[in-house]
Amino acid sequence: MAENPLPSGDLKKLDKELKNISRFEDAVQEISRGNLKFGICILFLVMVGFFAFTQVADASNQVFIVLAGLLGAYMALNIGANDVANNIGPAVGSKALTMTGALIIAAVFEAAGAIIAGGDVVSTVRKGIVNPAAMESDVMFIHAMMSALFAAALWVNLATFIGAPVSTTHSVVGGVMGAGIAATGLGAVNWATMGKIAASWVISPVMGGIIAAAFLALIKFQILFKEDKVTAAKKWVPVLVGFMAGAFAMYLTMKGLKKLWKPSGEVVMLIGLVFFVSTWVIVKPVVAKAAEKIENRRRAVSDLFTIPLIFSAALLSFAHGANDVANAVGPLAAVVGVASGADMTGNVGLPMWILVVGALGIAAGLLLFGPKLVRTVGEKITKLDRARAYCVALSAAITVIIASALGLPVSSTHIAVGGVFGVGFFREFLSNKKKRERLEKVLPEAGETGSDKGRGEALERLTKKQEKSRRRKLVRRQHLTTIVAAWLITVPLSALLAAILYWMMSTLM
């Protein structure tokens, strides 16, 4: 019998040392990947700076335009790293798409949306946050816009680092407000507009959560809780997919394609109805055929939502690129326009090179740094299957449609994350309700315990600890706290940063 060449204590020590070496190698590889990503970002910024330099006709304003180009590119990278996660997170979390596939789809459609349907007039000042006429000079206006852009980008970068999906629109709004106050005082700010934006902190996630939970309730009670789930799916899945098609057709018409076409409300509703009916007609036989091959199980039925989820990720990314590219290039376009001799109180045109910078920056930021927030939205808040992820994606489109019709300002980020929380909390409600009902059945009858009060106290004691434990598994409170806190401080923190940066910039330049 062969003897062990090393004592057991030495073997354990060797095993521990090998594990330490493995962890060290993993850490070195992670640092190397981080350095590579950082290097790619620096190269992108250098290329943007050089290109911006070549676009300047007036040598006296070269510094302003090049710096604004760099800040716009930096902001675009941060939008891609943070904001886009809301569009693809549910699809990735439900395993409808792999991380790589989702990143590629989102990068392509974000860039396409920005270039094809990006706003031709995008000036953040034009939204009525700050009155540009209150600015004493063009230089003051340029300093304010650059400060706002830099402050917003810094905050979004920090939020991405701590794993909090935040609204880039609110970040830019806060930056413009802070810089405007620093430049001209409190009187320059349109406080009515700021009040509406503050209201959207509550409106967006609540609406998104309620709508997502409502559709999940429909799916559960009409399909997943039925004895014959396959038959129920054959009836309801085509209706739900058709509803999604109609909602996204309206969403893209109202938001994603508003630069190319601005139809009336009646036309938008007609488009939604046509897409709903036509999609229902097309999908019904397809679902019926697919249903013949699936088992009568929840997971199998939930998988019928895979294809709609993939389309929703692409369409949400296209609409997001068309709208939110303005958060990166709006202030940049304002600086370039004024530095080129345009009137700072008028609308600012958007040269194609600025739009391309925004589109490429968003795509690059997503591919390099997006996975962290994608995992947060898709996996870490609550567990998503494909039916739940479908509800989140659908709620994003419907909430924007309702809010736009009512004239309410909403944040796509808050809507999507609110939808995820809504799904999670609804699951908690059903789970806790079911557990309580089971416990009530096993408790002794009131007569056996002596009184109804005794039975109620026993029920409360039995359920309190179990319910608390169960809730933690369904919605992680840690992420809820972090995200809500980040939302609440986005505007004031961006404003404070912008005010400080404006003071520094006006002092040094």
Side-chain angles (χ1 to χ4, degrees), residues 38-115:
F38 182 73
I40 293 173
C41 290
I42 293 298
L43 179 61
F44 174 69
L45 293 175
V46 169
M47 292 173 63
V48 169
F50 176 77
F51 190 79
F53 180 81
T54 63
Q55 303 301 307
V56 180
D58 185 357
S60 63
N61 291 322
Q62 281 181 340
V63 173
F64 288 139
I65 293 178
V66 171
L67 284 178
L70 293 174
L71 293 175
Y74 175 47
M75 181 61 177
L77 289 168
N78 284 293
I79 291 175
N82 190 293
D83 220 16
V84 184
N86 309 302
N87 304 325
I88 61 176
V92 173
S94 65
K95 304 297 188 293
L97 282 170
T98 64
M99 178 67 77
T100 301
L103 291 174
I104 292 172
I105 289 173
V108 170
F109 280 87
E110 284 279 344
I115 294 173

Side-chain angles (χ1 to χ4, degrees), residues 294-304:
I294 65 174
E295 301 178 27
N296 190 36
R297 293 167 51 242
R298 293 187 185 186
R299 182 172 181 178
V301 172
S302 180
D303 288 347
L304 293 173

Side-chain angles (χ1 to χ4, degrees), residues 300-316:
V301 172
S302 180
D303 288 347
L304 293 173
F305 291 99
T306 300
I307 301 301
L309 268 177
I310 295 172
F311 276 98
S312 72
L315 295 175
L316 283 171

Side-chain angles (χ1 to χ4, degrees), residues 338-422:
V338 173
S340 302
D343 182 5
M344 64 180 175
T345 61
N347 289 337
V348 180
L350 183 64
M352 179 55 68
W353 73 268
I354 294 179
L355 203 55
V356 171
V357 165
L360 295 180
I362 291 175
L366 170 65
L367 293 172
L368 293 173
F369 303 105
K372 180 176 182 178
L373 267 296
V374 171
R375 293 189 185 96
T376 297
V377 175
E379 300 172 2
K380 294 184 178 180
I381 296 174
T382 192
K383 185 177 180 181
L384 295 175
D385 61 15
R386 292 171 195 184
R388 297 168 198 152
Y390 159 87
C391 297
V392 175
L394 183 57
S395 74
I398 294 176
T399 303
V400 171
I401 292 170
I402 294 174
S404 297
L406 297 176
L408 300 173
V410 291
S411 163
S412 60
T413 301
H414 292 193
I415 292 169
V417 176
V420 175
F421 278 116

Side-chain angles (χ1 to χ4, degrees), residues 443-447 449-461:
L443 282 172
E445 293 298 326
T449 59
S451 67
D452 289 331
K453 181 180 179 182
R455 185 172 184 269
E457 291 175 350
L459 175 62
E460 185 177 354
R461 286 195 302 271

Side-chain angles (χ1 to χ4, degrees), residues 77-304:
L77 289 168
N78 284 293
I79 291 175
N82 190 293
D83 220 16
V84 184
N86 309 302
N87 304 325
I88 61 176
V92 173
S94 65
K95 304 297 188 293
L97 282 170
T98 64
M99 178 67 77
T100 301
L103 291 174
I104 292 172
I105 289 173
V108 170
F109 280 87
E110 284 279 344
I115 294 173
I116 296 172
D120 55 346
V121 180
V122 283
S123 172
T124 308
V125 200
R126 193 169 56 88
K127 296 179 180 178
I129 301 164
V130 171
N131 180 14
M135 304 284 180
E136 295 179 358
S137 65
D138 289 351
V139 173
M140 179 181 285
F141 178 82
I142 291 172
H143 285 168
M145 290 300 98
M146 290 174 62
S147 302
L149 191 55
F150 195 16
L154 285 174
W155 165 238
V156 176
N157 196 339
L158 177 61
T160 304
F161 178 76
I162 64 176
V166 297
S167 170
T168 54
T169 302
H170 288 179
S171 301
V172 173
V173 165
V176 172
M177 181 184 74
I181 292 173
T184 62
L186 294 172
V189 178
N190 187 331
W191 294 107
T193 299
M194 291 305 304
K196 292 181 180 179
I197 292 170
S200 74
W201 296 342
V202 177
I203 295 170
S204 300
V206 170
M207 286 183 67
I210 290 173
I211 292 173
F215 274 97
L216 183 59
L218 174 64
I219 291 172
K220 282 186 174 293
F221 290 113
Q222 296 299 328
I223 301 176
L224 301 181
F225 289 170
K226 295 290 186 181
E227 190 70 26
D228 187 352
K229 299 175 180 57
V230 174
T231 300
K234 289 166 67 175
K235 174 184 177 182
W236 281 100
V237 170
V239 175
L240 290 167
V241 175
F243 199 87
M244 176 180 250
F248 271 100
M250 296 171 67
Y251 176 73
L252 287 173
T253 303
M254 296 172 67
K255 304 294 290 184
L257 301 176
K258 62 183 179 181
K259 169 193 171 184
L260 307 176
W261 184 37
K262 294 182 180 179
S264 64
E266 292 78 8
V267 173
V268 171
M269 293 182 65
L270 179 61
I271 290 172
L273 180 61
V274 169
F275 270 82
F276 167 76
V277 174
S278 58
T279 302
W280 177 79
V281 171
I282 294 170
V283 170
K284 188 175 177 61
V286 176
V287 171
K289 185 176 180 180
E292 295 174 359
K293 304 175 183 179
I294 65 174
E295 301 178 27
N296 190 36
R297 293 167 51 242
R298 293 187 185 186
R299 182 172 181 178
V301 172
S302 180
D303 288 347
L304 293 173

